[in-house]
């Protein structure tokens, strides 16, 4: 455990006695050094980019084959309404509390 000890002295106005207060504050351990940049991380990122590009291209082909057509984007989005749906999924760690309500 890494600790830092700080001593402070204070004198009260009514007496000539000095009071020393010692506090011990735990310090966080230093962060580990960053790993050196390497080719594997770059290859993983490029692989993810390439995989995404393949999925988008396959989806576009399937959309066109199904007879779909694209609607052009508005030139000005300031007066448009946009909806977002955010789905959170969690692992159910305790099924005994599912029927609370």
């Amino acid at each position: 455990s890494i600790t830092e000890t700080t001593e402070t002295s204070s004198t009260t106005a009514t007496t000539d006695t000095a009071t020393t207060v010692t506090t011990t504050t735990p310090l966080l351990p230093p962060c580990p050094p960053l790993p050196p940049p390497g080719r594997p991380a770059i290859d993983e990122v490029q692989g993810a980019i390439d995989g995404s590009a393949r999925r988008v291209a396959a989806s576009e082909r399937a959309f066109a084959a199904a007879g779909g057509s694209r609607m052009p984007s508005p030139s000005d989005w300031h007066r448009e309404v946009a909806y977002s749906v955010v789905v959170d999924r969690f692992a159910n760690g305790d099924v005994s509390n599912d029927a609370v309500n």
Side-chain angles (χ1 to χ4, degrees), residues 3 19 25 29 31 33-34 36 48 53 56 79 82 89-90 99:
T3 59
T19 303
T25 307
C31 293
L34 292 175
V56 168
R79 294 201 170 130
R89 301 179 91 186
F90 299 95

Side-chain angles (χ1 to χ4, degrees), residues 77 79-87:
W77 283 90
R79 294 201 170 130
E80 298 296 324
V81 176
Y83 296 95
S84 296
V85 176
V86 180
V87 179

Side-chain angles (χ1 to χ4, degrees), residues 16-38:
D16 292 334
T17 345
T19 303
T20 302
V21 178
T22 303
T23 58
T24 303
T25 307
L27 297 176
L28 296 175
C31 293
L34 292 175

Side-chain angles (χ1 to χ4, degrees), residues 7-77:
E7 289 188 13
T8 58
S9 296
S10 62
T11 305
T12 61
T14 57
T15 64
D16 292 334
T17 345
T19 303
T20 302
V21 178
T22 303
T23 58
T24 303
T25 307
L27 297 176
L28 296 175
C31 293
L34 292 175
R39 192 72 201 162
I42 294 171
D43 290 341
E44 286 177 26
V45 170
Q46 190 60 52
I49 291 170
D50 294 344
S52 294
R54 284 191 302 274
R55 286 190 301 275
V56 168
S59 296
E60 288 176 345
R61 286 190 301 273
F63 183 75
S69 63
R70 294 183 181 267
M71 182 188 326
S73 292
S75 59
D76 182 10
W77 283 90

